[in-house]
Amino acid sequence: MIYWQHLTRQANEAHSQAAYSDALELARKALACAEATFENDFANDAESAVSAVIVSYLNLAEISISMKEWLVANAYFERGVHFLQSIIVAPNLQPEHRELIEKTASHIRFEWELFSQTYGSKLALAKRNHRINWLKQHAQLEPQWQAGYGY
């Protein structure tokens, strides 16, 4: 947990200095660290373990927002929710841990909704552009495929 805290502080400092690529790299390392030690950390201190992972996802989303990477930010919110969903389905989850997960999920959904309200039009435009680019790429590949089969 100490290494995660160190990485998170460094990421936050880089973010505040607008060194976004450095902040992103450090925040990704912090997330990887939190996820790698999650099971052991959860057994010892569930609240700190859950917080470390979710704070990492929220930090990555915030950095992505600063970089105007709306789709990436949205994906980090989504991944945070999915992470919590993967924990809450455990059959042997203690009631206090279930409550912790539900409370944390409510918080991340609130932050995600705030993001959606604030940047919804930019996110929608980014999704549209992504779909258009995807279609263009696949349209360019299609004639080559058809030509190979005599069409």
Side-chain angles (χ1 to χ4, degrees), residues 7-150:
L7 289 168
T8 300
R9 266 192 237 101
Q10 285 184 318
N12 289 340
E13 186 176 319
H15 183 231
S16 69
Q17 295 175 358
Y20 300 133
S21 59
D22 292 341
L24 198 57
E25 181 181 342
L26 290 161
R28 284 181 181 152
K29 286 180 182 179
L31 174 61
C33 177
E35 289 180 331
T37 61
F38 182 77
E39 284 189 39
N40 289 337
D41 292 344
F42 189 80
N44 295 325
D45 182 358
E47 188 172 351
S48 293
V50 170
S51 293
V53 173
I54 296 306
V55 164
S56 294
Y57 278 119
L58 292 174
N59 284 347
L60 285 161
E62 187 65 33
I63 294 164
S64 299
I65 291 167
S66 295
M67 297 173 73
K68 298 179 180 9
E69 294 286 342
W70 317 117
L71 292 175
V72 176
N74 192 65
Y76 281 124
F77 285 112
E78 186 174 3
R79 286 177 58 194
V81 169
H82 285 293
F83 174 80
L84 294 172
Q85 288 173 339
S86 72
I87 298 167
I88 206 161
V89 297
N92 58 347
L93 191 65
Q94 297 175 11
E96 62 270 14
H97 292 161
R98 185 170 304 283
E99 186 178 320
L100 167 68
I101 300 302
E102 289 171 353
K103 180 181 170 186
T104 306
S106 292
H107 176 74
I108 197 167
R109 285 187 183 111
F110 172 80
E111 294 291 335
W112 196 4
E113 181 62 28
L114 186 60
F115 163 76
S116 296
Q117 288 175 2
T118 306
Y119 301 104
S121 60
K122 293 177 182 181
L123 178 61
L125 183 60
K127 285 180 180 180
R128 181 180 173 277
N129 288 339
H130 180 74
R131 278 192 303 270
I132 289 169
N133 288 335
W134 185 87
L135 289 170
K136 283 180 181 177
Q137 289 174 348
H138 284 79
Q140 291 172 354
L141 295 176
E142 191 173 309
Q144 294 170 354
W145 175 80
Q146 289 177 348
Y149 288 95

